Amino acid sequence: FTGPVLAAAVLALGNPYVGDAAPGIIFVIYGLTMAALLFAILGTRMRDPEPEEGNSTNLVKDVLDGLRYTLAHDATRLVLVLSFCVALFARPYMDLLPGYALAVFDRGTDGVGTMFAASGIGALCFSVFMALRGRTEGLTKLLIVSSAAASIALLLYAVSPNFWLAGIFMAFVGGGLVVVGIASQSLIQHATSNEFQARVISVYFALTFGVLAIGVLVMGWIAEFAGFRVSFACGAALSLLGVLFIGPGLWRRAGDL
């Protein structure tokens, strides 16, 4: 969550000295941090026992088992579908922010940095709130409300005529989406038996993160022909429709999670 804020600082402070090379420097820094993370993962020693003879070690079978388990449990399935809708229609905004800042607000790297910072600050504040909250009671309703709030904030961002007002809405978009991610993962882990937790959460990540590319492609195509405002508004409206369609059923099954 601090990444967008730091990226905005590099853009703002580095642009007068290195000019258009500032975004490239950010990507280099990002690559180095990912390399450090990769080395940390490679150096991790697992304490789990070796799988017993007869246990499944087939990746495809494990994924299919996780998918079957998810589809067989109504509440978990609804959480997954809601997260899928939000990821497909609302979350792709991040990849299109540079084009939006330039085409709509006529802002260059400073505008992009400001919007990334706003999104990052909102995500950081709401993630701290979720950490301090520290309980699963009421988390299902919070997931539904935050999904709706993020969609509405993105819609208001799309129609906002003022750059700074749009930045405020962007903070709520980032904050709302981070609550959606934390709440949905927590609910899935809490409601799933230990045997299937890893399999079900892998299905969650495959669907919610894998679908981002499709969402970015569609929203980018709409932006090319109808403009960025229309593209963002369509994504926000479809995300909100998904919440209105899925939310009531999930709300009624809050006790199952």
Side-chain angles (χ1 to χ4, degrees), residues 32-46:
L32 293 175
T33 58
M34 290 297 102
L37 177 62
L38 177 61
F39 282 117
I41 293 174
L42 292 174
T44 302
R45 296 293 178 262
M46 303 300 294

Side-chain angles (χ1 to χ4, degrees), residues 105-193:
F105 293 117
D106 195 24
R107 299 290 187 106
T109 53
D110 61 326
V112 177
T114 300
M115 289 303 167
F116 277 136
S119 178
I121 291 172
L124 180 61
C125 292
F126 279 82
S127 64
V128 171
F129 162 74
M130 293 297 290
L132 294 176
R133 186 178 185 276
R135 63 183 188 275
T136 57
E137 291 82 6
L139 203 56
T140 304
K141 296 177 181 179
L142 184 59
L143 169 62
I144 299 169
V145 171
S146 60
S147 299
S151 303
I152 293 172
L154 184 60
L155 183 59
L156 293 174
Y157 176 85
V159 300
S160 175
N162 181 271
F163 177 78
W164 297 109
L165 181 61
I168 295 174
F169 292 137
M170 181 51 59
F172 283 98
V173 174
L177 290 179
V178 80
V179 173
V180 172
I182 294 173
S184 57
Q185 293 175 52
S186 300
L187 288 169
I188 289 174
Q189 294 280 49
H190 184 261
T192 305
S193 64

